[in-house]
């Protein structure tokens, strides 16, 4: 049994936050194999998201934590939540629950039992089941092509909002990630891969949220800039003794 912090980064999600949290807690109640905690990482929201998060924390004091990050960016939200956590395993998922919750155990268990350091969902594996619009599909596949051939990242999907990491790996890798936005995921995977960490890819069932806050083309442009930065600057290495794969 592991202590698991499941982070939900949110930006202006007052309309769906409560239902998503209640749905997730109900699912976790039926899986007592680990000790679960939901961390709502409010990411500079300008609506009532933080108020709703604090109400949920008061309603479920043993299972929900509301965390306020005043600077916008998924990367900075995850960096803050993961590096301030003392859980054995830290994960995150999108608030819209696009990824089927049935995959949570597949994400967590291989890290909790020490077989892998980082796990991530993929929507583009042949065994994945995905429903989304053609624009997002084409953009995702083009981006993965760039990652594989320009950055040498051996994944089928880097940007699925469904990932988990062990505590030691997080302490070593997350401080090396420079991006504070959407490229955070890709950069984390690339640094982990090139430093010999054990990565597990999980095909998932995923349904697109038509009300998503993600600006697909803008995000793609920022991701391409991130790839170029890493090609020029190289892959950083954890300092000796910082929890590397052979530590």
């Amino acid at each position: 049994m592991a202590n698991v912090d499941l982070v939900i980064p949110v930006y202006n999600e007052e309309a769906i936050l409560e239902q998503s949290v209640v749905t997730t807690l109900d699912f976790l109640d039926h899986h007592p194999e680990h000790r679960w905690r939901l961390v709502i990482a409010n990411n500079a929201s300008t609506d009532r998201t933080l108020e709703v998060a604090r109400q949920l924390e008061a309603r479920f004091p043993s299972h929900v934590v509301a965390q306020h990050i005043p600077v916008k960016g998924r990367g900075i939200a995850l960096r803050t939540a993961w590096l301030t956590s003392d859980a054995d395993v830290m994960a995150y998922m999108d608030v819209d629950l696009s990824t089927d919750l049935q995959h949570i155990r597949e994400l967590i268990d291989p890290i909790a039992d020490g077989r892998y350091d980082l796990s991530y969902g993929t929507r583009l594996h042949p065994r994945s089941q995905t429903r989304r619009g053609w624009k997002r599909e084409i953009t995702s596949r083009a981006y993965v092509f760039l990652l594989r051939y320009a950055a040498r990242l051996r994944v089928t999907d880097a940007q699925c909002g469904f990932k988990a990491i062990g505590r030691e790996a997080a302490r070593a890798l997350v401080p090396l990630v420079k991006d504070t936005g959407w490229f955070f995921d890709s950069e984390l995977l690339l640094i982990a891969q090139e430093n010999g960490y054990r990565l597990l890819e999980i095909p998932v069932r995923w349904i697109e949220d038509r009300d998503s806050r993600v600006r697909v083309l803008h995000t793609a442009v920022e991701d391409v800039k991130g790839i170029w930065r890493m090609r020029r600057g190289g892959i950083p290495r954890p300092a000796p003794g910082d929890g590397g794969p052979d530590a």
Side-chain angles (χ1 to χ4, degrees):
M1 179 178 287
N3 293 316
V4 181
D5 271 2
L6 184 55
V7 180
I8 305 178
V10 287
Y11 172 71
N12 289 352
E13 298 288 2
E14 63 176 4
I16 66 170
L17 178 58
E18 180 177 2
Q19 183 57 57
S20 293
V21 166
V22 170
T23 298
T24 303
L25 289 176
D26 180 66
F27 174 84
L28 297 178
D29 281 345
H30 290 83
H31 291 276
E33 300 87 357
H34 301 297
R35 290 180 288 270
W36 306 94
R37 185 173 72 162
L38 285 187
V39 179
I40 304 170
N42 177 58
N43 197 199
S45 295
T46 57
D47 64 358
R48 294 182 56 256
T49 295
L50 180 58
E51 180 182 341
V52 174
R54 286 175 172 162
Q55 290 172 353
L56 289 165
E57 180 182 48
R59 181 177 169 188
F60 305 104
S62 300
H63 301 289
V64 176
V65 172
Q67 191 172 42
H68 178 56
I69 297 98
V71 181
K72 188 178 178 183
R74 182 170 74 176
I76 193 65
L78 291 176
R79 174 192 294 270
T80 302
W82 283 355
L83 291 183
T84 57
S85 170
D86 60 359
D88 303 308
V89 181
M90 287 146 284
Y92 95 92
M93 65 181 191
D94 291 333
V95 68
D96 57 21
L97 305 186
S98 291
T99 303
D100 194 326
L101 292 174
Q102 295 297 328
H103 297 295
I104 286 181
R105 288 283 309 279
E106 297 174 64
L107 192 75
I108 301 300
D109 289 358
I111 297 178
D113 64 20
R115 286 179 288 143
Y116 290 89
D117 302 302
L118 194 158
S119 58
Y120 59 98
T122 171
R123 301 158 294 183
L124 300 176
H125 191 278
R127 291 194 286 114
S128 300
Q129 301 176 46
T130 304
R131 294 213 319 256
R132 59 178 172 179
W134 64 267
K135 182 186 295 185
R136 193 159 183 171
E137 181 76 12
I138 292 173
T139 302
S140 289
R141 291 189 179 275
Y143 176 58
V144 169
F145 178 86
L146 280 174
L147 279 175
R148 292 179 67 89
Y149 292 97
R152 304 280 199 277
L153 181 58
R154 299 184 296 272
V155 302
T156 63
D157 186 0
Q159 293 292 64
C160 181
F162 195 67
K163 292 180 175 66
I165 190 169
R167 179 171 56 201
E168 295 303 318
R171 295 290 184 269
L173 296 174
V174 172
L176 302 179
V177 180
K178 294 182 179 179
D179 191 81
T180 60
W182 293 99
F183 187 66
F184 177 93
D185 295 57
S186 301
E187 188 168 352
L188 175 64
L189 289 172
L190 186 55
I191 293 173
Q193 172 190 283
E194 294 304 298
N195 281 285
Y197 285 80
R198 300 164 299 172
L199 275 60
L200 174 65
E201 185 167 88
I202 301 167
V204 297
R205 182 174 181 270
W206 189 91
I207 300 175
E208 181 179 7
D209 174 20
R210 298 293 183 175
D211 190 39
S212 173
R213 301 291 187 270
V214 179
R215 293 182 295 163
V216 176
L217 293 179
H218 172 78
T219 300
V221 170
E222 292 303 310
D223 289 343
V224 170
K225 290 179 180 178
I227 294 173
W228 176 246
R229 168 175 57 79
M230 296 197 74
R231 278 183 61 89
R232 293 181 63 189
I235 305 297
R237 308 289 179 185
D242 274 0
D246 298 322

